[in-house]
Amino acid sequence: MLKYISEHGELEVLNSILNVFISKSEKEKFMSQIEVLEKANKSDNVVVNYLLNLPSIRDSLWFETGVANQKIATDYVYLYKHKMIMGSWAIEKNDTVDSIMLSIDIIKYGYNLLTNFEPSQITVYQSTKKYVQVNTVSDIAKPIYHCSESVFENGWKKIKDLKLFEHFLVQNNINIVLLDELPEDVKMLVIALIYFARKKISENIQVTKEVYCFIISYVMLNAVFDEPQSASEIRNSITEKDFNTAKNITTKEKKYFVYDNDEAKRIFNENTLKTLAEIQYCLLHMNYLNTLCGSPFMKTRFHKTFNGTFIYKLLKDMNGRDEKEFIGELFKTAPSVLTFVNKLISTYEKLL
């Protein structure tokens, strides 16, 4: 009913309601109640004002509603209320740029949506002594919408229709149509990997191996270790025999999912960890933004997307090798797994 009222003129709505009443007495009773409401509307009665002027009244509790409904991430609560966000949890040198900074433009766009693109500064804290202030003015153009305080003040249910997340992707030249070639549950990962890789490429840093390792991690966690009865696209693309073969390769032959203290000390590399942390933060904040914008894409199931130990050890084995030759050798006895991995890589490369 409220939807109908908001989409039709006052006279049209009134006539529609009057047509429901058959007797003259019913119509007169209804009109007398309308007069009472109109008198109340001249007062400060918020409830009456909301019902009679629905299209023009904003939700003053839009932020609290967003937090309660898990539309606004906890990190964004501090961001909006205190103009601050905590930096990387990873151990990083004091003279290096915080890993979260690769995702700062994602964070800025989220903040700008919350504040209606009001110019400001936010502070990124790595510690109490180390922090950086960031201007929120962004290269991302403001989407088209109307509000007084924030785009979310008009209600959360219609946010998805505004395509705020898609706007961010388009502004970053990410082809939304090509994303449809991917399974739903990997789209957010690929979006984050594209965003991350482009940032690194702009600095003349190649991260092909890291990207491929994340893609393989997704395949292994979703396909090989998913429930056998799963009807997902990834399960339907890989044979049961190849499931078992790939599982044997990664868990028994290579032991990619486990390590001991001696091995950890031997293979530790701070630069590698930092790069992997940058990808994880990029994926995390891309998901925060997707949720804030109404979840047009399926949220990342993190436990089915990446395993840090697996990715780190796989990356170590891949170093010094041609990436695609390495992958082909790794899964040569599991051809359907190899085909699916290559399909994802191919789509990623087209999007890149």
Side-chain angles (χ1 to χ4, degrees), residues 9-20:
E10 182 179 344
L11 185 60
E12 184 181 355
V13 172
L14 183 59
N15 288 332
S16 297
I17 295 173
L18 287 174
N19 287 334
V20 176

Side-chain angles (χ1 to χ4, degrees), residues 184-195:
E184 290 298 324
D185 62 349
V186 77
K187 287 182 179 180
M188 285 301 298
L189 173 63
V190 173
I191 288 170
L193 291 175
I194 293 165
Y195 187 89

Side-chain angles (χ1 to χ4, degrees), residues 259-268:
Y259 68 92
D260 56 35
N261 290 334
D262 290 338
E263 183 182 21
K265 293 176 183 177
R266 187 175 68 254
I267 66 175
F268 175 78

Side-chain angles (χ1 to χ4, degrees), residues 65-318:
T65 301
V67 174
N69 291 328
Q70 298 183 327
K71 304 295 185 183
I72 300 175
T74 302
D75 286 351
Y76 279 15
V77 174
Y78 292 101
L79 184 64
Y80 178 73
K81 291 292 187 180
H82 305 292
K83 299 183 181 181
M84 61 158 286
I85 193 164
M86 294 305 298
S88 172
W89 41 258
I91 300 174
E92 301 190 13
K93 294 179 180 178
N94 288 329
D95 59 349
T96 60
V97 177
D98 194 287
S99 294
I100 204 174
M101 293 304 293
L102 182 135
S103 304
I104 195 63
D105 288 336
I106 305 172
I107 297 168
K108 284 165 61 174
Y109 182 66
Y111 178 84
N112 284 334
L113 289 175
L114 290 167
T115 61
N116 197 25
F117 285 75
E118 186 69 27
S120 184
Q121 280 193 333
I122 57 176
T123 304
V124 180
Y125 284 94
Q126 186 171 334
S127 66
T128 54
K129 295 182 179 180
K130 183 182 178 183
Y131 59 88
V132 59
Q133 289 189 313
V134 180
N135 194 307
T136 60
V137 175
S138 172
D139 293 333
I140 304 298
K142 181 181 178 180
I144 298 174
Y145 59 80
H146 301 286
C147 69
S148 58
E149 181 181 347
S150 173
V151 64
F152 307 106
E153 70 190 31
N154 297 315
W156 288 93
K157 290 185 178 180
K158 293 184 178 181
I159 285 298
K160 183 177 178 180
D161 297 337
L162 296 178
K163 298 186 180 299
L164 302 174
F165 186 73
E166 292 91 330
H167 175 79
F168 180 80
L169 298 184
V170 171
Q171 290 279 299
N172 280 282
N173 297 312
I174 295 177
N175 190 324
I176 297 176
V177 176
L178 271 179
L179 289 172
D180 287 335
E181 295 184 8
L182 298 165
E184 290 298 324
D185 62 349
V186 77
K187 287 182 179 180
M188 285 301 298
L189 173 63
V190 173
I191 288 170
L193 291 175
I194 293 165
Y195 187 89
F196 162 79
R198 287 180 179 176
K199 291 285 187 181
K200 288 298 186 180
I201 291 170
S202 69
E203 300 173 3
N204 294 317
I205 300 173
Q206 291 300 317
V207 288
T208 304
K209 288 181 172 63
E210 288 85 349
V211 168
Y212 286 2
C213 286
F214 265 81
I215 290 174
I216 294 171
S217 174
Y218 158 79
V219 174
M220 297 304 295
L221 292 173
N222 270 276
V224 179
F225 300 108
D226 206 350
E227 296 76 15
Q229 67 272 23
S230 172
S232 66
E233 179 179 341
I234 192 169
R235 290 287 304 188
N236 293 331
S237 301
I238 301 175
T239 67
E240 195 65 35
K241 177 178 178 293
D242 288 351
F243 280 139
N244 296 327
T245 301
K247 183 175 181 179
N248 184 64
I249 292 170
T250 55
T251 60
K252 295 181 180 179
E253 293 181 20
K254 299 294 184 180
K255 301 186 186 306
Y256 283 141
F257 286 94
V258 295
Y259 68 92
D260 56 35
N261 290 334
D262 290 338
E263 183 182 21
K265 293 176 183 177
R266 187 175 68 254
I267 66 175
F268 175 78
N269 183 287
E270 189 171 4
N271 291 332
T272 299
L273 285 177
K274 181 175 177 61
T275 301
L276 298 184
E278 287 177 326
I279 298 176
Q280 290 180 54
Y281 271 112
C282 186
L283 180 60
L284 179 66
H285 282 282
M286 199 67 81
N287 270 272
Y288 284 167
L289 183 60
N290 177 58
T291 301
L292 185 70
C293 297
S295 299
F297 293 92
M298 180 177 173
K299 300 174 186 177
T300 298
R301 297 183 300 172
F302 287 90
H303 69 291
K304 291 290 184 70
T305 301
F306 72 86
N307 177 286
T309 301
F310 176 88
I311 292 172
Y312 191 89
K313 294 187 69 174
L314 179 65
L315 185 58
K316 283 295 181 182
D317 268 7
M318 192 181 291

